[in-house]
Structure formats: structure tokens, C-alpha cells
Amino acid sequence: MGSNRSMSRENKKKQLRSQMVSPSVSSPEDEDSEELIKKAHQKSVKRRVRIGAVIGVLILAAVGGFIYYDRYMSFADYELVWETDFNQGEPGETAAGEGNFSGFADFADGVIKYTKDGASYLDSRGKAVWILSYEMKHPMITVNGDFAAIGDRQGNSIYICDKNGIQGQATTSLPVLELSVSAKGVTAAVEEDSKASYIYLYKKDGNPLDIYVKSLLSGDGYPVDVSLSPGGTQWITSFMYLEDGMIKNKVVFYNFGLGKNDPKRVVGVFMPQDLSDAMAGRVRFMDDSHAVIFTDKGLQFFSTRIETSPESTAQILLDENIRSISYTDQYAAVVTDNSEGSEPYRLHVYRADGSQVFETAFSFQYSGFDIDEDLVLLYNDNSCLVYNMAGTEKFKGSFDFPVSKVSAGNMPGTLLVMGPQKMQEIRLR
């Protein structure tokens, strides 16, 4: 009896140990449940993948459609988005002296409208951000980034402004002939007396810097144009001079952060043989590493990546007569006569390294020629012709008010149209 009870206890212990150590055995019902869960998860993953693929295709289609729309669609009509009437604005909204209107210049997020007795910065909706009053006989303006300098040609006043308003005023002792401003507000002015020309630098507050270049008209030549780099430490000047009774041209690069061994800070001189005996009437820094000169024979591009050693990177010689030029920090363009075909003009557009973007012939009779963002804009007093950088004619149309300038609008497919009396944003359709 005792032995049976002992064996019973041992059997129970073995059974308990077996239940504690041995893995549980799943039932067929458990296996079916796990398989259903697995299949449901796989189905959910496949559904998400299909939805993601569809969304991806739709996004690619939308991007492709936008690219096609932006590059190849052309428009002949438009609708008005908004309009600002300069003659009916609230007091203080626009600069005074509308009868002395001079022009517009692209600036920051909008434009500067300048006249003989004032200027105003208008934002992207045509509202005046600031107003500046002055009296000038021949106002001229130069813009670089968020700074602008307004001066009186053959006068003695220079106003230096940024997006917040006037930052400084310089009064010169000699008449001002040309201006150039850097993206930091440093301003270069070409001034002259009866014997020499001078290039003076002014800080953004209008105070003169102790830096200038003097050129004797009888020796060094006459400075035709000057341009400051965005950083304000480099400048480029085109000089006309006489040699053996003939007018010659040279282009001189200066650097006031480097090249200190030369008292004039000259870091590069390009003589007539370097310029194919061309005459450079306009010189421009496109950015701190690229410059372009516009000559009577074409364009020549320079690299200032090595600031102590500027080099010519591309020379474009054009057989046709050059009628107009335009430039930004990314592009340089010219309009020439067209010797082939029935259309009288040809547009040539280049990148900052001198490579060609596109060229095309056209017959539009224009008076204004600008590049803004990725648009080339040709316009006259009542109509305009617009190309994009794919060479597509994006828009050709007319307006019902006198036009002074056309620029890219706030959104793709829009334009800003400006005149002495009003400013509009239009949407192409």
C-alpha cells in the first residue's frame, strides 16, 4: 500500500516536470489562426505597396506634366491677378513726380520705381515698402542682390538703399558718370575732372573708403564701365585709350582683398590682342567667380575663381551687329541682326561659363530686353514676347495701357507688367 502511494507520488512528480519542461503542442485550430494572420499581413503589405506605386506614378505624372507645361506650353491670352493704380493709390503709397517717370529696376522681391524726384520700392503685390525723395536731372540705378544705388548722372548725389530703405547718402566732389553696387552695399562711382578719371568706393552708409583708382586721360585711358563683385572686394573696368592715333580697349581686374603687392591692386590686365581687338562697352560680374564683357564683336567670359589670376574662359564672336544686351547672375544674352531667313533679329543666350543655352530668330519689334529668373522678356510700350530657357515662346500678347517693363511674376505662369500709371500681375492662359 505504502509502496503504491510512493509510486503514485513519483508519477505525479514526473508528470509535473514534463508539463513544466516540455514545449506546449499547438492545436490545429491555433495553426489555422496563425496562418490566417500571416496571410492577412501579407495582403495588407501588398495593398500598401500597390497604393504607394499608384501614388508614385501620379506624382511622376504630375511632375512630368508640370515640366512639360513649364518648358513647352505657349500662351496667347491672360487674366488679371491684381492691379495697382499709381494715380489712385492712398497717400504715400508711391513716389511723387509721376510726370518725371524714368523707369523700373528689378529689386529684391519686387521692383524699384524711380523718377527725377523720388524712388519707391514696390513689393511683389505692388505695395510701397519705402519711399525716397530727391531731386535729380538724370537718375540712374544699379542693383546687386538686396542693395541698390541711385545716382544723378553728371551730378553729385548717390543714395544707397536696401530692402528696409535708405542706408546712406554720398555726396561727391566730382560729377558721377557710372555706378556699380555690391551685394553688401559697397558702391563704386566713376567720376572725372578735366584731366583724369577716378573710381571711388563708398561704404553702404555713404562714407568714402580710402580706396580709389586714378587714370589719366592722356595715358591710362578713359574708364567706360565698371562693375563690383557681389562680395565687394573685386572690380572690373573697361578702359578706352589712344595708341598711335587709334582707339584701343583694355580690361583691368582689381582686387582689394588680395594683390596687395601692386599699389593699384591690379590682378589682371587683358589687352587688345586678348580681346580680338574688340571694344568692351559693358563689363559685369555675374557672381564672385564669373564675369562677362559685352563688346562690339560679341561676348567674352572670365573666371575669377582664383582671385589673384582671372582668366578668359570663353570668347563668343558674332558676325551680326549687336543691338541689345541683358544679364543676370546666371545668364548673359544679346540680340543681334539676323542675316539668315526673313526674321530680322536673333536672340543668343549663354550661361555664366560661356556655354550656350539657346538661340532663336524673331521679328518682334522691341524696345526693352531683360532676363528675369528663367525667362527672357522682350517688350515695347504695349506688348511683349517671352521665352523660357528651353527656347520655347511662352507668351506673345498686348496690353491696354502704356508699358515700361515686364518681369517674371510671383508664381510660375505669371508676369508683372509695369507702366508709369499702373502695375499688374497677370496669369497666362
Side-chain angles (χ1 to χ4, degrees):
M1 178 78 96
S3 176
N4 290 335
R5 283 199 296 268
S6 176
M7 289 177 63
S8 178
R9 285 196 298 269
E10 285 297 323
N11 289 333
K12 288 181 179 179
K13 289 180 182 179
K14 288 180 179 180
Q15 186 179 9
L16 180 61
R17 283 197 296 268
S18 174
Q19 290 175 352
M20 292 176 63
V21 174
S22 300
S24 59
V25 177
S26 60
S27 66
E29 290 80 2
D30 292 339
E31 291 180 357
D32 291 342
S33 298
E34 290 179 2
E35 186 66 23
L36 289 173
I37 293 172
K38 183 178 179 181
K39 289 181 178 179
H41 176 69
Q42 291 175 343
K43 186 176 182 180
S44 176
V45 169
K46 289 179 180 178
R47 184 185 300 113
R48 287 198 295 267
V49 170
R50 285 196 297 268
I51 293 172
V54 170
I55 292 173
V57 170
L58 291 175
I59 291 173
L60 289 174
V63 171
F66 176 78
I67 292 174
Y68 180 85
Y69 170 90
D70 184 58
R71 289 178 65 88
Y72 302 114
M73 286 294 290
S74 297
F75 304 90
D77 199 4
Y78 63 88
E79 61 184 2
L80 181 66
V81 179
W82 55 260
E83 176 179 280
T84 296
D85 191 330
F86 298 137
N87 296 322
Q88 297 179 6
E90 296 178 4
E93 280 200 345
T94 61
E98 301 298 342
N100 294 322
F101 173 76
S102 293
F104 291 92
D106 293 320
F107 177 71
D109 297 324
V111 295
I112 290 179
K113 180 174 185 274
Y114 61 103
T115 72
K116 291 183 178 181
D117 54 10
S120 55
Y121 166 37
L122 308 176
D123 66 14
S124 60
R125 299 287 297 183
K127 301 297 183 181
V129 178
W130 52 253
I131 297 170
L132 169 65
S133 296
Y134 53 69
E135 290 186 6
M136 295 184 184
K137 293 182 178 179
H138 305 287
M140 57 180 170
I141 187 169
T142 177
V143 175
N144 198 332
D146 290 336
F147 273 91
I150 305 170
D152 192 6
R153 194 182 300 274
Q154 294 291 348
N156 304 98
S157 298
I158 302 171
Y159 295 85
I160 303 168
C161 309
D162 67 3
K163 293 191 295 184
N164 299 312
I166 184 169
Q167 297 299 307
Q169 178 181 356
T171 302
T172 67
S173 57
L174 297 172
V176 177
L177 303 180
E178 297 291 341
L179 284 177
S180 181
V181 68
S182 78
K184 295 183 178 180
V186 176
T187 300
V190 178
E191 307 169 28
E192 72 170 0
D193 57 24
S194 59
K195 295 182 179 179
S197 293
Y198 307 83
I199 303 172
Y200 287 103
L201 288 181
Y202 299 90
K203 293 185 285 187
K204 67 179 182 180
D205 62 5
N207 290 318
L209 285 164
D210 188 23
I211 299 173
Y212 71 93
V213 170
K214 178 181 179 180
S215 56
L216 297 174
L217 302 180
S218 59
D220 301 310
Y222 180 82
V224 178
D225 196 30
V226 60
S227 178
L228 277 171
S229 66
T233 59
Q234 305 177 76
W235 83 39
I236 177 175
T237 305
S238 173
F239 287 96
M240 299 293 184
Y241 65 97
L242 282 174
E243 182 179 275
D244 299 328
M246 298 182 65
I247 298 177
K248 299 285 187 178
N249 179 229
K250 63 182 177 182
V251 173
V252 182
F253 285 80
Y254 303 85
N255 193 301
F256 291 92
L258 301 171
K260 296 181 179 179
N261 293 330
D262 191 308
K264 291 185 177 181
R265 310 295 198 267
V266 174
V267 293
V269 180
F270 294 84
M271 300 302 290
Q273 60 269 24
D274 305 311
L275 309 175
S276 297
D277 286 318
M279 301 292 175
R282 184 65 58 87
V283 296
R284 279 296 176 269
F285 270 101
M286 302 178 74
D287 56 34
D288 281 313
S289 300
H290 298 89
V292 61
I293 66 172
F294 296 88
T295 74
D296 59 338
K297 295 183 178 180
L299 307 88
Q300 193 159 345
F301 295 85
F302 296 84
S303 170
T304 58
R305 185 179 57 84
I306 302 175
E307 295 185 355
T308 54
S309 182
E311 62 174 338
S312 175
T313 56
Q315 186 180 57
I316 293 122
L317 299 177
L318 301 169
D319 295 331
E320 296 85 0
N321 176 53
I322 296 174
R323 290 183 168 269
S324 308
I325 67 170
S326 187
Y327 48 84
T328 65
D329 58 346
Q330 298 182 68
Y331 304 106
V334 296
V335 174
T336 67
D337 291 333
N338 183 31
S339 59
E340 299 178 357
S342 59
E343 296 178 296
Y345 309 118
R346 181 167 289 275
L347 170 65
H348 310 255
V349 183
Y350 304 91
R351 299 179 184 86
D353 62 1
S355 60
Q356 187 174 69
V357 181
F358 76 93
E359 70 173 77
T360 187
F362 66 94
S363 58
F364 180 75
Q365 297 297 317
Y366 70 98
S367 57
F369 171 38
D370 291 319
I371 304 173
D372 190 16
E373 298 180 1
D374 287 331
L375 296 179
V376 179
L377 306 118
L378 298 143
Y379 50 90
N380 55 37
D381 60 358
N382 61 13
S383 58
C384 77
L385 172 64
V386 181
Y387 291 97
N388 65 12
M389 289 304 167
T392 301
E393 181 183 299
K394 291 295 292 181
F395 175 71
K396 186 176 184 180
S398 59
F399 310 105
D400 59 0
F401 67 97
V403 173
S404 302
K405 181 174 173 59
V406 181
S407 298
N410 300 313
M411 298 293 292
T414 63
L415 298 173
L416 291 177
V417 185
M418 295 153 274
Q421 284 81 39
K422 65 175 66 175
M423 178 176 177
Q424 293 181 344
E425 183 175 31
I426 61 172
R427 181 177 293 110
L428 306 181
R429 62 180 189 182

